[in-house]
Amino acid sequence: MSELDFTSDEMMTIAAARALKNTDVCFVGIGAPSAACNIARLTHAPDVTLIYESGTIGTAPSVLPLSIGDGELCETAVTTVSVPEMFRYWLQGGRVTVGFLGAAQIDRFGNINTTVIGDYDTPKTRLPGGGGAPEIASSCGEIFITLKQSKRAMVEKIDFFTSFGHGEGGDHRTRLGITTKGPTLMVTDLAVWKADRETSEFTVVSLHPGVTREMVQDTCGWTVRFADELSETPHPTELELSTLRDLRARTKAAHSGGAKTGEAA
């Protein structure tokens, strides 16, 4: 693989990272959201404030954490506060501009299921649950979501409401008294989606290089809406790719017992 060849997973992570601004205060989910947020911090948004659910504020991990309890987060944070303070003062106090979440199931209106697949009492699969995601989804200024596309993940109707997106669409959030924007952006391994201002339905605004409309529809469980002016996601730059690959290499070495070589400052 040459330096500017890239995988769909790398394109997804980098495209998601680009959505964060230097001035954002971001509540970070574990997994793909964590990778995207840290790539933003290591490239175009060095002053972004990353917050994890365990209470770490301004964390700057040199490797991706395994969980919110990973010592790497506390060791590199500006400060660590109690979980009640994190949620009551920082999150519910309106001090977080972006919540970055993943999903096991998601529908066209950004409603997320991370609880069960199938019936709640007799599920096919029991998932980790919501953790702080329900509060993040309602209290952050806006929500970004990243996940790999599949008909299993992107469904017409989620099996369980873990985190409220736009409900039934339209102004459903407002009617429930939720004043934050909710899901505004979804980045998958195939495309960039944005919530329509009127219907609140996710609409494809950009296809990643080499991706067709048919590929997006074939891996989505609802009828996809495409923007009238559909663009192509810019290719990853050399800096973005090398930063992501270095981060993943350090993470793999650290989690396999190796040294954290080439740590970022």
Side-chain angles (χ1 to χ4, degrees):
M1 180 181 290
S2 65
E3 194 156 26
L4 292 184
D5 287 335
F6 54 89
T7 67
S8 59
D9 182 70
E10 289 173 331
M11 182 72 261
M12 174 180 70
T13 303
I14 289 168
R18 291 169 178 165
L20 284 177
K21 304 185 300 295
N22 208 39
T23 55
D24 275 324
V25 177
C26 181
F27 213 122
V28 187
I30 294 297
S34 185
C37 292
N38 279 285
I39 291 304
R41 177 181 62 82
L42 292 168
T43 54
H44 69 278
D47 295 326
V48 67
T49 301
L50 302 186
I51 296 177
Y52 285 77
E53 191 177 331
S54 51
T56 57
I57 299 175
T59 189
S62 61
V63 300
L64 294 175
L66 290 169
S67 71
I68 60 169
D70 197 314
E72 176 76 12
L73 296 176
C74 189
E75 290 170 3
T76 62
V78 172
T79 188
T80 302
V81 301
S82 68
V83 172
E85 178 181 333
M86 169 59 64
F87 279 86
R88 184 66 188 95
Y89 179 81
W90 290 93
L91 181 59
Q92 295 173 342
R95 294 171 171 83
V96 182
T97 62
V98 176
F100 224 125
L101 299 174
Q105 273 188 340
I106 191 168
D107 67 17
R108 71 183 70 211
F109 298 118
N111 302 302
I112 292 174
N113 171 25
T114 54
T115 303
V116 294
I117 302 298
D119 180 74
Y120 182 81
D121 293 321
T122 56
K124 296 178 181 178
T125 305
R126 189 167 294 281
L127 302 168
E135 289 79 12
I136 293 169
S138 61
S139 297
C140 290
E142 60 184 320
I143 299 299
F144 298 163
I145 300 163
T146 185
L147 78 161
K148 292 184 179 181
Q149 285 200 206
S150 71
K151 287 188 174 180
R152 174 183 292 183
M154 303 175 74
V155 296
E156 186 70 39
K157 182 179 180 181
I158 57 177
D159 293 334
F160 188 91
F161 262 83
T162 306
S163 302
F164 190 83
H166 293 286
E168 298 170 355
D171 64 348
H172 197 178
R173 284 178 73 90
T174 304
R175 287 188 278 116
L176 293 178
I178 306 174
T179 59
T180 52
K181 293 180 181 179
T184 57
L185 176 76
M186 177 168 65
V187 181
T188 71
D189 53 335
L190 299 181
V192 176
W193 309 58
K194 290 186 178 180
D196 182 83
R197 292 185 178 181
E198 298 295 327
T199 66
S200 299
E201 179 179 345
F202 271 126
T203 301
V204 177
V205 297
S206 173
L207 296 175
H208 297 336
V211 174
T212 64
R213 292 174 182 240
E214 289 74 22
M215 292 167 66
V216 174
Q217 183 61 78
D218 289 345
T219 52
C220 183
W222 65 80
T223 301
V224 177
R225 290 183 58 187
F226 294 90
D228 293 336
E229 296 182 6
L230 193 61
S231 62
E232 180 180 87
T233 310
H235 287 61
T237 66
E238 183 176 349
L239 173 62
E240 289 170 331
L241 273 178
S242 62
T243 302
L244 174 58
R245 291 171 182 174
D246 287 348
L247 176 61
R248 286 181 168 166
R250 293 197 303 273
T251 300
K252 182 178 180 181
H255 292 168
S256 63
K260 301 174 188 176
T261 57
E263 291 186 355

